[in-house]
Amino acid sequence: MTWHQLWLYIYFSFLRGMIKWFLHKVTGVCELQRICSKYNVGAKRTKKIESCLKHSHTAAVKKALTNGERVDEAVANIMAIKGIHQDEDPQFGPYLTACLTQIHGYKNLLAEVEVTRKTPYNSENQEHENMLMQLWELLMPNNKLQSRITKQWSDIGFQGDDPKTDFRGMGMLGLNNLLFFSSQFNAEAKQTLSHSHHPKFGYSFAIVGINITNMAYTLMLNGTLRVHFYNLKQDMPNMTDFHRVYCYLLFEFDKFWLQSKPKDVMEFSRLRDKFQKKITKILKDNCVILEGEFFKE
Ligand SMILES: *[C@@H]1O[C@H](CO)[C@@H](O)[C@H](O)[C@H]1NC(C)=O
Ligand SMILES: *[C@@H]1O[C@H](CO)[C@@H](O)[C@H](O)[C@H]1NC(C)=O
Ligand SMILES: *[C@@H]1O[C@H](CO)[C@@H](O)[C@H](O)[C@H]1NC(C)=O
């Protein structure tokens, strides 16, 4: 244990408890109430509430964070345990409800993302096959695919003559993301695809697109994207919202790649890391929402 860890330990287990107890005695208001009145609606408030609940010594309070708990019941429980009366602090209930809805919404969305990622591309599944064909038609409306297995797939940046092997670790999440970008923001997707054909700074559109799904997924998994979703919506985010984050990332990565003027595709790993650091830094700002300039269309 380092000194820093020891200090954190002492802080959380002892000092923090004393400070909370003292403030509660003096003001008659608990920490959750203080957070709600001190911070405006948005990521900062929701993250503080989340952390406060997480570090609570009362199991019944902590439980409010568990997936599957009903938000209204959790709020009623917390208010009962903390002795908070609706008429004394009428805003607290609705505020806590909104925060918990966002916290649960994020966890539910992560679970849905995980299920999609774990669904492998299956060429025996007609729905999967149709989606793949749709992707081709959206990106290459003027070129007919000669056959299902063909070298043509490399024109949109797949590796071999059958895209089915390219989705690997990202499964259907990779295809869903590419298809969403290509259908909802067709002009931007085609523009990105054409950049990927650049004679000097070209790259494999679909392969990089699948890799950026990996980035979106990682940022979702470790909670970095909470800021975005907590600022975006007061209610639960859904898959459309995740796809939009992806569109933002892929579009921005393409710009970043061209601006970096890479020597060749061997620079991918380095530039990907650099881009990821840039995004992580942007997401340190508690007020941020990731929005493409093209979202308003
Ligand atoms: C989350 O993952 C991203 C990508 O790997 C990384 O840049 C970031 O530092 C991680 N953040 C946390 C809080 O672990
Ligand atoms: C997600 O929610 C938005 C409204 O915020 C709605 O328009 C959209 O259809 C929803 N998407 C899904 C996949 O349910
Ligand atoms: C994405 O690219 C990075 C860097 O080259 C690599 O380590 C990672 O395995 C790739 N992930 C996917 C899913 O393609």
Side-chain angles (χ1 to χ4, degrees):
M1 201 185 257
T2 65
W3 280 110
H4 182 64
Q5 282 167 327
L6 187 64
W7 164 244
L8 279 179
Y9 178 76
I10 292 173
Y11 174 75
F12 277 115
S13 54
F14 178 70
L15 263 180
R16 192 167 173 274
M18 275 206 18
I19 293 168
K20 275 170 68 177
W21 177 84
F22 179 75
L23 281 172
H24 200 168
K25 283 288 157 222
V26 172
T27 61
V29 162
C30 80
E31 193 182 6
L32 290 168
Q33 285 172 292
R34 268 199 303 279
I35 294 169
C36 284
S37 59
K38 182 167 174 194
Y39 301 102
N40 289 329
V41 169
K44 188 144 194 189
R45 180 197 277 171
T46 306
K47 280 169 89 176
K48 292 253 177 210
I49 292 281
E50 192 169 10
S51 153
C52 182
L53 292 172
K54 198 169 138 197
H55 292 112
S56 171
H57 292 299
T58 316
V61 171
K62 221 178 186 143
K63 213 176 91 188
L65 292 174
T66 313
N67 238 7
E69 283 295 300
R70 280 189 45 177
V71 169
D72 53 352
E73 280 173 11
V75 171
N77 273 339
I78 288 173
M79 289 181 69
I81 291 165
K82 302 271 179 193
I84 300 166
H85 296 288
Q86 179 66 34
D87 38 352
E88 281 163 19
D89 189 350
Q91 286 180 320
F92 180 73
Y95 283 177
L96 185 60
T97 303
C99 289
L100 274 178
T101 304
Q102 290 185 312
I103 293 166
H104 283 227
Y106 188 89
K107 292 184 177 188
N108 292 342
L109 180 56
L110 175 59
E112 200 182 340
V113 162
E114 195 65 276
V115 167
T116 316
R117 184 185 75 85
K118 284 192 173 148
T119 308
Y121 183 88
N122 174 4
S123 45
E124 244 115 83
N125 183 327
Q126 200 49 52
E127 204 187 315
H128 293 187
E129 286 285 296
N130 291 344
M131 287 169 73
L132 194 57
M133 292 305 163
Q134 231 181 314
L135 181 66
W136 175 270
E137 281 158 23
L138 285 162
L139 292 171
M140 290 290 198
N142 303 320
N143 295 60
K144 269 221 148 344
L145 208 56
Q146 304 303 329
S147 65
R148 169 63 181 79
I149 312 280
T150 162
K151 282 270 170 284
Q152 277 177 295
W153 285 113
S154 68
D155 294 349
I156 59 171
F158 285 104
Q159 242 156 13
D161 50 13
D162 188 348
K164 76 174 181 192
T165 52
D166 287 334
F167 296 106
R168 285 192 208 108
M170 292 300 114
M172 287 305 284
L173 190 62
L175 180 53
N176 280 327
N177 270 338
L178 281 170
L179 194 54
F180 184 92
F181 186 40
S182 308
S183 61
Q184 301 302 304
F185 304 110
N186 190 250
E188 286 73 17
K190 280 182 181 150
Q191 183 192 327
T192 307
L193 176 64
S194 81
H195 289 166
S196 80
H197 294 148
H198 191 284
K200 264 177 83 184
F201 309 130
Y203 57 88
S204 297
F205 175 78
I207 296 296
V208 167
I210 291 164
N211 200 286
I212 297 296
T213 286
N214 184 199
M215 190 181 296
Y217 165 69
T218 313
L219 293 171
M220 184 83 199
L221 190 64
N222 74 10
T224 305
L225 279 173
R226 281 180 307 164
V227 167
H228 164 78
F229 287 111
Y230 291 170
N231 285 325
L232 183 72
K233 274 187 167 177
Q234 284 306 294
D235 55 358
M236 304 221 174
N238 64 21
M239 211 52 172
T240 306
D241 300 313
F242 179 75
H243 290 322
R244 287 166 74 91
V245 168
Y246 171 77
C247 295
Y248 166 87
L249 289 176
L250 184 52
F251 191 79
E252 289 298 315
F253 179 77
D254 173 69
K255 268 204 292 192
F256 181 83
W257 175 263
L258 287 182
Q259 279 162 8
S260 306
K261 298 191 169 36
K263 276 202 296 289
D264 53 39
V265 287
M266 298 304 277
E267 296 230 60
F268 177 72
S269 215
R270 182 180 70 82
L271 288 176
R272 181 199 191 276
D273 273 2
K274 205 171 157 197
F275 177 71
Q276 191 164 286
K277 289 211 177 79
K278 183 180 158 176
I279 296 296
T280 306
K281 199 167 157 207
I282 290 175
L283 288 165
K284 285 221 158 73
D285 173 0
N286 271 322
C287 298
V288 84
I289 293 181
L290 301 180
E291 263 187 328
E293 54 224 66
F294 51 94
F295 278 8
K296 281 155 215 87
E297 294 168 6

